[in-house]
Amino acid sequence: MIGFERATEIANLYYNDIYHLCLSRLKKEENAADVTQEVFLFFQEKYNELEDEYIKAWLYKVADNKIKEQFRAIAKKEKELALEKERKAKEKERIRKAKLREQELARLAKE
């Protein structure tokens, strides 16, 4: 088990490494910063349960898992946006067809 002072040292020691891992995988600074923060917030919750000799591996594993969560969240958002775009296109097409029917009925009524 490690104490608060050692946890602070570890956070200072590995923060940049974890950030660069996240950045290399996520490619966006904002996403990398968010995931890095999540890793160290989780570390803050768990440090007193961890063994010092496994901290680096633990941090990298947590970072890897958080990166995967981020990819899943991005994929989900992209899917939702695609579905919304498809829904809007269908609605636009439905309105276009309704207008055509309306125009056709108006034309037939004039005849």
Side-chain angles (χ1 to χ4, degrees), residues 34-102:
D34 289 346
V35 170
T36 303
Q37 183 176 13
E38 288 178 26
V39 169
F40 285 96
L41 287 172
F42 190 62
F43 174 65
Q44 185 178 3
E45 293 173 17
K46 300 291 183 180
Y47 74 87
N48 59 348
E49 301 171 20
L50 302 170
E51 298 294 327
D52 199 2
E53 63 195 70
Y54 302 112
I55 293 292
K56 184 177 180 180
W58 184 88
L59 287 169
Y60 274 82
K61 184 64 177 174
V62 171
D64 187 56
N65 288 337
K66 296 289 185 185
I67 289 166
K68 289 174 185 174
E69 287 175 15
Q70 182 76 8
F71 280 130
R72 284 191 293 272
I74 290 167
K76 181 180 179 183
K77 187 172 185 172
E78 287 174 352
K79 183 178 180 181
E80 288 171 354
L81 289 173
L83 289 171
E84 180 64 16
K85 185 177 178 182
E86 183 181 334
R87 187 196 63 74
K88 285 181 179 180
K90 286 179 180 179
E91 180 64 13
K92 187 176 179 180
E93 180 63 15
R94 186 192 65 73
I95 291 169
R96 185 188 70 77
K97 286 180 179 180
K99 284 180 181 179
L100 286 174
R101 280 192 302 273
E102 203 175 279

Side-chain angles (χ1 to χ4, degrees), residues 18-35:
I18 297 300
Y19 172 77
H20 288 289
L21 169 68
C22 294
L23 183 59
S24 72
R25 300 265 307 277
L26 295 168
K27 307 297 185 208
K28 291 185 178 179
E29 290 180 2
E30 182 179 324
N31 292 347
D34 289 346
V35 170

